[in-house]
Amino acid sequence: MGPFIALALNGFREARRNRVTLLVAIFALAMLMSTTLVLEITVGTFDRVITDVGLGAMSLMLVLLAIFLSSGLISREIERRTIFLMVSKPLSRGAFLVGRLAGNMLTVTVLQLLMAALFFAMMYFYQSPISPAHLAAVGMLWFELWVLSAVGFLMSSFSSQMVSAFVTVSVYFAGHLSSDIYKLASKSQSGAIQALGKAVYYVLPDLSRFNYRPHATYYAPVTSSELLSAAAYGMAFTGVLVALAIILFNRRDFR
């Protein structure tokens, strides 16, 4: 357990020192602060604007960061030849992969907590009410980042950084449309199209299940059972992706 924790913390320190991580964090904070300028020209929709801009900026920046970190990790290890040092230690490849994933998610989690603290501080400053839907939107975003990071790690276990990043970005957009694809395909009279729609829905992660920003914008109620179901779905999907990544990573030849 000691080497695994050390590996995760080392991954966190490497990601923290990465200039892109720093730039993304600064840019995200600047976008959140720019809410003030948007509010100056807003009439009658004060609470909606601060919620949309704040949560939207947080989601966009954290998604980009998660994709960048997860898709390039293994490739950078191979390019720097540090992968040979890691796999030669008394630590399984699976533990190495999971440890790196934990380190990346620790970085993303710390940044998300900082952004969330700033966002809620701004809402408190402007006396905008904070509802359970706001907390749900921030919390469910964390599970979405787990799924996207797992996709990036799965792809980076056997492909280059460019391919991993492209596929992960594609999964992000397709994942938010998978439920719509399923609904449209189910209305078709063609059995082949219905089967294709179901296949797309079950293969791709349904990322729309983690999107509670509309609930926060309109102060819609959220139920604990709905949140627990989405959280369990996210962790289960992440577990499957990590398991596949470990299988492929164990079979990879680094010579």
Side-chain angles (χ1 to χ4, degrees):
M1 193 66 181
F4 175 82
I5 296 176
L7 185 62
L9 293 177
N10 182 62
F12 169 70
R13 286 191 293 268
E14 287 184 3
R16 185 185 60 187
R17 290 194 300 264
N18 194 299
R19 292 181 179 179
V20 175
T21 302
L22 179 61
L23 291 176
V24 170
I26 294 175
F27 186 46
L29 294 178
M31 289 188 68
L32 287 174
M33 294 300 294
S34 67
T35 306
T36 306
L37 300 177
V38 178
L39 293 174
E40 294 295 332
I41 59 175
T42 302
V43 179
T45 58
F46 184 91
D47 298 333
R48 294 182 185 179
V49 170
I50 192 173
T51 298
D52 281 339
V53 175
L55 292 178
M58 188 189 310
S59 175
L60 176 62
M61 292 300 100
L62 288 174
V63 165
L64 291 176
L65 177 62
I67 291 174
F68 171 80
L69 292 178
S70 61
S71 62
L73 178 66
I74 304 302
S75 300
R76 289 193 298 270
E77 293 282 1
I78 296 175
E79 291 175 359
R80 295 181 298 184
R81 302 297 180 181
T82 54
I83 190 69
F84 298 101
L85 178 62
M86 295 296 179
V87 297
S88 64
K89 291 182 177 295
L91 187 69
S92 66
R93 291 190 178 188
F96 166 76
L97 198 67
V98 175
R100 284 303 195 186
L101 175 60
N104 276 11
M105 282 306 303
L106 180 59
T107 305
V108 174
T109 301
V110 170
L111 287 176
Q112 183 180 9
L113 290 175
L114 293 175
M115 294 179 193
L118 176 61
F119 170 66
F120 288 124
M122 291 178 62
M123 294 194 67
Y124 178 80
F125 177 79
Y126 288 110
Q127 298 181 347
S128 182
I130 300 175
S131 69
H134 288 81
L135 300 176
V138 175
M140 289 298 104
L141 173 61
W142 187 71
F143 289 98
E144 180 179 1
L145 296 174
W146 267 105
V147 174
L148 290 175
S149 296
V151 172
F153 267 77
L154 172 61
M155 294 304 304
S156 64
S157 65
F158 64 90
S159 62
S160 65
Q161 181 177 0
M162 290 294 296
V163 174
S164 301
F166 175 78
V167 172
T168 308
V169 170
S170 301
V171 169
Y172 171 74
F173 288 107
H176 279 282
L177 297 174
S178 61
S179 60
D180 294 329
I181 295 174
Y182 177 79
K183 292 176 182 178
L184 290 175
S186 62
K187 296 179 180 180
S188 175
Q189 297 181 351
S190 172
I193 295 179
Q194 292 181 3
L196 180 61
K198 290 182 179 179
V200 170
Y201 179 75
Y202 288 114
V203 170
L204 293 175
D206 184 6
L207 299 180
S208 63
R209 300 185 63 168
F210 310 116
N211 183 15
Y212 281 81
R213 292 190 296 277
H215 296 73
T217 300
Y218 296 98
Y219 292 88
V222 294
T223 62
S224 56
S225 60
E226 185 180 5
L227 295 177
L228 290 174
S229 175
Y233 172 82
M235 297 314 296
F237 212 101
T238 299
V240 172
L241 294 175
V242 171
L244 291 174
I246 292 174
I247 293 174
L248 295 174
F249 190 63
N250 284 332
R251 295 182 178 182
R252 187 167 181 176
D253 187 4
F254 298 108
R255 290 180 298 175

